[in-house]
Amino acid sequence: MSKLFRAVIMGPPGSGKGTISERIAQSFGLQHLSSGDFLRENIAANTEAGVLAKTYIEKRLLVPDHVMTRLLLPRLEEMTRHSWILDGFPRTLAQAEALSRACELDVVISLNIPLETLKERLRHRWIHPASGRVYNLCFNPPRVQGVDDISGEPLIQHEDDRPEALVARLRHYKDVAKPVIDLYKAKNILHTFSDTDTDRIWPHISSLLNTKIRTDQSSAQRASTN
Ligand code: AMP
């Protein structure tokens, strides 16, 4: 890939962001950068930001914007020679504005998944509370049922993943994400995908990225031969 390519993926809990990001990374050679994974690495390494972030994550709250941008933006600066897909950041308008100042995005993918599907997926979700590792009994089960693969500790189901709590969480997600989505819509880089099934969404995302990446490559080639 001659021109660098920068993409963001957005979606509510259970929308399949992580799965789709992995497929994009594998199929198109982009680095998958996940804000959640990055926070978990910081928690495991007991960094100052990690200790602070943990208190919010445990309460299922968003980590404050200034903590997130201070963590994420230097990481993106290290990636100036790589194409990437950013998963989980930005989550708020302040984060999106900070990201816009740091780099130009080519594509924003927004996953718009029906509530019933999200409820069903989260019903099968188990987490390892100490690390934040997430399992799904349908498509990403632990090796031993009810047990974390790495630590061997028990997995739990989160109160917040219960259907009643999910509606409130989703409403919160939509309120916070709306100005971010509006910003990317106004920049003409937003692409929204709606379906109940990740495998049905994937071909559309794949063909979008094929077009975008190939178009960018040929225009970069044209520029270099002119
Ligand atoms: P995730 O793995 O993306 O679900 O993230 C796990 C948790 O990390 C979230 O529930 C938030 O508490 C926190 N988090 C991840 N990304 C962000 C972000 N961009 N802004 C604020 N908090 C975040």
Side-chain angles (χ1 to χ4, degrees), residues 91-107:
R91 278 223 195 6
T92 66
L93 185 58
Q95 292 178 13
E97 286 169 347
L99 182 61
S100 297
R101 287 191 291 273
C103 69
E104 200 178 321
L105 297 173
D106 296 289
V107 162

Side-chain angles (χ1 to χ4, degrees), residues 54-206:
K54 192 172 182 204
T55 59
Y56 290 89
I57 293 176
E58 279 172 352
K59 292 188 209 125
R60 306 288 264 188
L61 296 171
L62 287 181
V63 175
D65 290 331
H66 68 278
V67 179
M68 286 311 300
T69 48
R70 258 210 326 260
L71 269 175
L72 249 294
L73 296 184
R75 180 71 175 255
L76 294 183
E77 268 167 38
E78 290 167 13
M79 303 287 296
T80 45
R81 288 162 183 276
H82 293 90
S83 292
W84 43 250
I85 168 110
L86 186 52
D87 150 19
F89 184 97
R91 278 223 195 6
T92 66
L93 185 58
Q95 292 178 13
E97 286 169 347
L99 182 61
S100 297
R101 287 191 291 273
C103 69
E104 200 178 321
L105 297 173
D106 296 289
V107 162
V108 175
I109 293 168
S110 169
L111 301 175
N112 184 17
I113 310 297
L115 176 64
E116 283 310 313
T117 308
L118 297 175
K119 273 187 191 163
E120 186 56 23
R121 286 186 191 164
L122 293 178
R123 209 159 63 78
H124 298 287
R125 176 136 109 163
W126 289 76
I127 65 164
H128 175 238
S131 67
R133 274 184 289 279
V134 178
Y135 298 88
N136 187 293
L137 298 188
C138 298
F139 46 83
N140 171 34
R143 283 199 292 269
V144 178
Q145 200 181 336
V147 176
D148 178 46
D149 286 352
I150 294 174
S151 67
E153 289 168 356
L155 301 175
I156 61 158
Q157 278 202 296
H158 219 288
E159 283 285 291
D160 277 6
D161 288 342
R162 281 181 302 117
E164 313 83 77
L166 180 65
V167 175
R169 262 173 91 194
L170 258 171
R171 193 171 309 124
H172 178 69
Y173 168 81
K174 283 196 172 152
D175 289 347
V176 176
K178 180 154 191 317
V180 182
I181 295 211
D182 289 346
L183 175 78
Y184 292 141
K185 214 184 269 172
K187 285 180 188 264
N188 252 328
I189 52 173
L190 184 78
H191 299 264
T192 303
F193 299 88
S194 308
D195 206 309
T196 54
D197 191 338
T198 303
D199 286 339
R200 277 207 299 267
I201 290 181
W202 172 244
H204 299 284
I205 293 184
S206 176

Side-chain angles (χ1 to χ4, degrees), residues 9-65:
I9 186 161
M10 302 178 61
S15 59
K17 279 187 304 242
T19 310
I20 290 176
S21 303
E22 274 304 311
R23 286 197 197 173
I24 292 174
Q26 277 169 16
S27 306
F28 294 94
L30 312 187
Q31 297 272 338
H32 174 199
L33 307 174
S34 148
S35 61
D37 285 352
F38 193 42
L39 286 168
R40 286 185 277 278
E41 281 165 32
N42 272 270
I43 292 171
N46 236 342
T47 66
E48 198 182 320
V51 172
L52 182 61
K54 192 172 182 204
T55 59
Y56 290 89
I57 293 176
E58 279 172 352
K59 292 188 209 125
R60 306 288 264 188
L61 296 171
L62 287 181
V63 175
D65 290 331

